[in-house]
């Protein structure tokens, strides 16, 4: 069993920044991909970014150049630095762990409870 806990969400104005963190506990965390999804009000959950167990980085096109994801395998954690935030970035951000080759298309095994990010003026 893998447990995930997110932190760092909050309210920011457009153009501002937030840093999200996710701490994972359980067995063989290093063998999983770790990443982030988000869900805006009234919309389905969507993939944002991921780091594979080999260190590969994947970003959805809408956050490319604004968000930076990093993984600390020693502490079994993953961070998401979000810059130049836009209202469209508003939503609940969920940490995710996957044993699949491609997290975005093949699914997620474990979810965190989520942390709310609100971008509004």
């Amino acid at each position: 069993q893998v447990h995930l806990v997110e932190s760092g969400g909050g309210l920011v104005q457009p153009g501002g920044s937030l840093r999200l963190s996710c701490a994972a506990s359980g067995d063989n965390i290093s063998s999983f991909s770790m990443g982030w999804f988000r869900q805006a009000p009234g919309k389905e959950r969507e993939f944002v970014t991921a780091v594979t167990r080999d260190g590969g980085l994947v970003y959805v096109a809408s956050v490319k150049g604004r968000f930076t994801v990093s993984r600390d395998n020693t502490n079994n954690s993953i961070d998401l630095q979000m810059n130049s935030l836009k209202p469209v970035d508003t939503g609940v951000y969920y940490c995710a762990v996957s044993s699949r080759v491609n997290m975005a298309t093949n699914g997620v095994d474990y979810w965190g409870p989520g942390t709310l990010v609100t971008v509004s003026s």
Side-chain angles (χ1 to χ4, degrees):
Q1 183 70 24
V2 174
H3 298 277
L4 305 172
V5 179
E6 305 100 335
S7 62
L11 173 64
V12 297
Q13 295 188 9
S17 298
L18 282 175
R19 188 176 183 88
L20 306 183
S21 296
C22 174
S25 61
D27 295 331
N28 301 120
I29 301 299
S30 62
S31 68
F32 292 90
S33 296
M34 296 185 68
W36 296 90
F37 287 69
R38 67 187 180 188
Q39 187 167 18
K43 301 186 67 176
E44 67 180 18
R45 195 171 300 184
E46 67 172 345
F47 171 78
V48 178
T49 184
V51 182
T52 71
R53 68 176 185 175
D54 297 320
L57 307 180
V58 182
Y59 297 94
V60 69
S62 60
V63 308
K64 191 81 171 183
R66 300 188 297 119
F67 291 10
T68 302
V69 66
S70 59
R71 181 173 182 173
D72 184 341
N73 289 324
T74 299
N75 295 322
N76 293 326
S77 64
I78 185 171
D79 291 348
L80 181 62
Q81 178 65 47
M82 305 186 295
N83 299 324
S84 301
L85 283 162
K86 306 174 181 179
V88 73
D89 296 316
T90 293
V92 177
Y93 283 68
Y94 297 92
C95 185
V97 170
S98 178
S99 63
R100 319 295 178 87
V101 175
N102 188 312
M103 175 182 295
T105 61
N106 293 347
V108 171
D109 294 287
Y110 301 98
W111 296 98
T115 185
L116 178 62
V117 172
T118 302
V119 185
S120 177
S121 60

